[in-house]
Amino acid sequence: MAKRIDVIEDVKKKYVRMALETGNYTSIARKAGISRETLRNWIKLYEDEVRDVMETEGSTSLSDNPTKEELQKKYEQAMILLGEKELEVAMLKNVIKKNEFL
């Protein structure tokens, strides 16, 4: 049962991170299928932990009025992450192909 709780907490933290990175709580709450108040409660619970993870990864949240440079930096970070994920998907597809022939 503890494993299920960990998965649920991981999902909550994912939405907290998305909210912190974008600053758009309403959109993220809608995407998660929860109320904005519930998202705010999750942020109160997990904000410090999520920000620590973001900081170690070099990711930051947007300010209320982001500058062009801030937006450019976020875009570049997103492109790097996208490239990493595309590489990961390609590697997993390769593993699946190899396992199909075994």
Side-chain angles (χ1 to χ4, degrees):
M1 190 70 169
K3 198 172 200 176
R4 183 172 182 222
I5 292 171
D6 290 342
V7 170
I8 292 170
E9 283 189 355
D10 288 344
V11 170
K12 290 177 180 180
K13 290 173 189 175
K14 178 184 109 177
Y15 284 114
V16 168
R17 181 175 180 151
M18 290 169 61
L20 294 174
E21 287 179 332
T22 64
N24 192 340
Y25 294 6
T26 302
S27 174
I28 300 303
R30 191 176 312 125
K31 185 175 191 167
I34 59 173
S35 71
R36 190 166 186 224
E37 186 60 32
T38 299
L39 180 60
R40 272 193 240 130
N41 290 334
W42 292 357
I43 290 170
K44 287 178 191 174
L45 284 172
Y46 302 113
E47 181 175 11
D48 291 338
E49 183 180 347
V50 171
R51 285 194 186 275
D52 287 345
V53 170
M54 289 169 61
E55 188 175 304
T56 60
E57 293 175 354
S59 180
T60 58
S61 56
L62 284 176
S63 63
D64 290 338
N65 295 315
T67 64
K68 184 177 179 181
E69 291 79 24
E70 222 180 335
L71 291 171
Q72 182 66 34
K73 184 177 178 184
K74 281 304 257 185
Y75 173 79
E76 289 169 2
Q77 288 175 341
M79 295 311 292
I80 290 169
L81 288 173
L82 177 62
E84 290 172 357
K85 292 300 175 188
E86 287 177 344
L87 178 61
E88 186 178 328
V89 167
M91 291 170 60
L92 289 170
K93 284 181 178 180
N94 194 18
V95 168
I96 290 170
K97 283 181 185 177
K98 286 181 181 179
N99 285 336
E100 288 176 355
F101 295 112
L102 294 178

